[in-house]
Amino acid sequence: MTRYAVADIGTNSARLMIAHIENGVIIADHKTLRYVRVGEGMGEGRIAAAAMQRTVQALTEFKMISGEYGAEPLCCFATSAVRDAKNKDEFISHIQSECGLEIDIVSGDKEAMLGFAGAVNGVGGIFDIGGGSTEVMTGSLNDIRFRQSFKIGTVRCHTQFPGGDDADPRAFEQAHALAVKMFCQIPKQQGFQYTGIGGTATALAAIDLGLAAYDGARVQGHVISIDKAHALCHMLKSKTKQQRKELMGLEDKKADVIVFGAILFVELLKAADAKSVVISDSDNLEGYLKYRLGLV
């Protein structure tokens, strides 16, 4: 059995998937992540040296894990923080030098397509709230009706509205207002289901399910209604960063940004006039592998 290894370098985390193909379907054998915070301190538009080193450490571990599974050579892609960085060429060269890996920087439109390909069969829509950007796509791979990458994400909001750590209502009001402005062009849900993918959607599902340890099988297919989304958002905004760390289902290192993820989640649902979202543990990792193998 041939196994493949794919890594995604996001704004908040680097993620690894080991997978194989069964009857044309990607089956994930192992998934893990490391919080590299590539987007941390990017107020000046540059990836910090410390973030580069955290990424090198994560990818070095990923190469080791890939080897343990006997997977094909690790293929890597990068999203919002890297594509927007003024020093992205330096970052790519550093990864090449230290890890011997080529990094494919994907555009926002391509990121949306990859997420859709990984999570939706046929007609539908996706929300992918990341650290540096949020992707929305509707239609199908053969008939894209709407596709947009918005420069708003959990890490960006945390940087822009630092009062969130202390549960400052003004920070949350400003984040809500920005999201409303950004998402006003999202199409209304008509005749299709929106699917939530990525770290925010799966983290909110894990909190809603009260998972002591993350379980992709339980997260897959979990439904979050608009009322539940509002309740989760209200609960997260009522707590400081330290208090959020105590929540069942939430990893400590997401305690600062998850509240902004919930805000964006709510405003996406409202903009789309969607009554609920189905959460998918499959996302652009699966989509990228499909792309590399010519399955999409």
Side-chain angles (χ1 to χ4, degrees):
M1 179 174 61
T2 302
R3 283 196 170 99
Y4 303 92
V6 182
D8 163 29
I9 304 171
T11 301
N12 193 39
S13 62
R15 302 180 300 136
L16 171 70
M17 177 183 73
I18 309 293
H20 67 278
I21 312 295
E22 287 184 12
N23 300 318
V25 177
I26 293 175
I27 306 297
D29 300 302
H30 177 74
K31 284 186 175 182
T32 189
L33 63 77
R34 302 291 183 271
Y35 289 102
V36 294
R37 287 286 169 101
V38 173
E40 189 173 64
M42 275 189 64
E44 298 180 358
R46 298 179 63 83
I47 300 171
M52 289 192 192
Q53 200 51 44
R54 289 194 294 268
T55 306
V56 166
Q57 183 177 348
L59 292 177
T60 299
E61 289 183 59
F62 289 175
K63 285 182 69 176
M64 181 182 68
I65 295 169
S66 301
E68 291 172 352
Y69 276 87
E72 292 287 306
L74 180 64
C75 59
C76 305
F77 66 98
T79 55
S80 178
V82 177
R83 69 173 170 254
D84 290 345
K86 295 176 182 177
N87 62 336
K88 59 177 170 284
D89 291 340
E90 177 189 347
F91 176 84
I92 295 300
S93 296
H94 187 65
I95 297 299
Q96 169 68 42
S97 173
E98 296 294 318
C99 303
L101 295 171
E102 299 287 342
I103 306 297
D104 180 11
I105 302 177
V106 302
S107 68
D109 279 354
K110 185 173 179 180
E111 185 178 357
M113 182 276 289
L114 294 174
F116 192 99
V120 179
N121 291 316
V123 177
I126 60 113
F127 297 149
D128 184 359
I129 303 168
S133 65
T134 295
E135 282 67 46
V136 179
M137 178 170 153
T138 68
S140 69
L141 292 174
N142 297 320
D143 179 22
I144 297 173
R145 300 173 192 169
F146 179 86
R147 177 172 57 176
Q148 183 71 44
S149 178
F150 300 92
K151 284 193 176 183
I152 185 172
T154 61
V155 176
R156 283 187 193 266
C157 284
H158 181 259
T159 300
Q160 192 169 351
F161 311 117
D165 283 356
D166 299 319
D168 182 351
R170 291 171 298 179
F172 300 144
E173 290 167 8
Q174 291 172 322
H176 274 289
L178 178 60
V180 169
K181 180 180 178 181
M182 295 286 276
F183 297 149
C184 64
Q185 60 184 299
I186 291 173
K188 303 299 182 184
Q189 177 177 299
Q190 292 181 328
F192 65 88
Q193 175 67 55
Y194 269 110
T195 298
I197 65 174
T200 292
T202 55
L204 290 175
I207 294 170
D208 192 29
L209 289 164
L211 300 181
Y214 184 80
D215 184 344
R218 291 192 63 190
V219 165
Q220 183 70 31
H222 182 67
V223 176
I224 296 181
S225 67
I226 181 67
D227 290 340
K228 174 58 72 171
H230 275 292
L232 286 167
C233 187
H234 178 75
M235 179 272 292
L236 289 165
K237 289 191 296 184
S238 73
K239 299 180 183 298
T240 64
K241 171 185 171 180
Q242 289 303 122
Q243 290 171 331
R244 286 177 223 130
K245 288 183 177 182
E246 304 302 318
L247 288 173
M248 182 74 77
L250 181 65
E251 296 178 74
D252 285 0
K253 291 184 178 180
K254 291 183 78 76
D256 54 352
V257 299
I258 188 59
V259 63
F260 293 107
I263 288 169
L264 300 185
F265 194 89
V266 164
E267 295 304 340
L268 279 167
L269 281 166
K270 289 167 61 179
D273 196 23
K275 302 304 180 186
S276 65
V277 173
V278 177
I279 309 303
S280 173
D281 185 63
S282 299
D283 51 34
N284 56 15
L285 284 168
E286 285 84 355
Y288 190 79
L289 183 54
K290 285 184 178 180
Y291 165 74
R292 286 292 292 257
L293 296 177
L295 301 176
V296 292

